[in-house]
Amino acid sequence: DVNYSSARAGLEQFKRAVARLQQSNLVAQLLQPIWERFVTLEILSGRLEADDFETDPDSYFDVEFRWPAWASLDPGKDADADISLLNSKLRSRAEIIAARGRDIEDVDKEIEADPFKDSQVQQPAQTKPQEAAANV
């Protein structure tokens, strides 16, 4: 018995709590130390070439962990909001794509490999609320 706004507010609060746990527990205490150990062992074994590792190890330990995107309550509204933020230059394509759990390079490669990329995409006809009400 909730409306869209209260459901969205509750979901956003839950997402923030999960993100805090992911960063403070999973990344900081588990994933980052494992990554650093893995990279160090690969360099020391000679399987990974890193001439400047001794002087600049942090550049080799820099990694971004991505989580799967949350299901949207209203994908249309979220897409419209992303387009608006992109057009007003308040958010980048890379940030929008990363928020959906993807890598911009992978997305761009998929788009480039798409044989239908240059064909026209048909947009659904937009009806104004007044017209929709008049048609009922």
Side-chain angles (χ1 to χ4, degrees), residues 35-62:
W35 174 254
E36 291 177 12
R37 173 68 61 93
F38 171 76
V39 168
T40 303
L41 290 175
E42 290 299 301
I43 291 170
L44 292 175
S45 71
R47 290 186 292 260
L48 183 63
E49 188 175 324
D51 297 332
D52 62 338
F53 180 71
E54 289 182 28
T55 58
D56 187 21
D58 290 338
S59 65
Y60 293 92
F61 297 150
D62 188 28

Side-chain angles (χ1 to χ4, degrees), residues 14 18 32 42 46 52 75 88-89 124:
F14 177 71
V18 169
Q32 187 69 38
E42 290 299 301
D52 62 338
S88 61
K89 299 189 184 325

Side-chain angles (χ1 to χ4, degrees), residues 22-40:
Q22 286 172 332
Q23 283 305 119
S24 64
N25 292 46
L26 284 175
V27 171
Q29 297 178 16
L30 179 68
L31 298 176
Q32 187 69 38
I34 289 172
W35 174 254
E36 291 177 12
R37 173 68 61 93
F38 171 76
V39 168
T40 303

Side-chain angles (χ1 to χ4, degrees), residues 46-92:
R47 290 186 292 260
L48 183 63
E49 188 175 324
D51 297 332
D52 62 338
F53 180 71
E54 289 182 28
T55 58
D56 187 21
D58 290 338
S59 65
Y60 293 92
F61 297 150
D62 188 28
V63 65
E64 182 179 336
F65 296 99
R66 291 199 179 100
W67 311 98
W70 291 87
S72 176
L73 288 176
D74 190 341
K77 285 183 182 178
D78 290 343
D80 289 343
D82 286 341
I83 291 168
S84 177
L85 291 170
L86 182 66
N87 290 339
S88 61
K89 299 189 184 325
L90 293 173
R91 204 164 190 203
S92 67

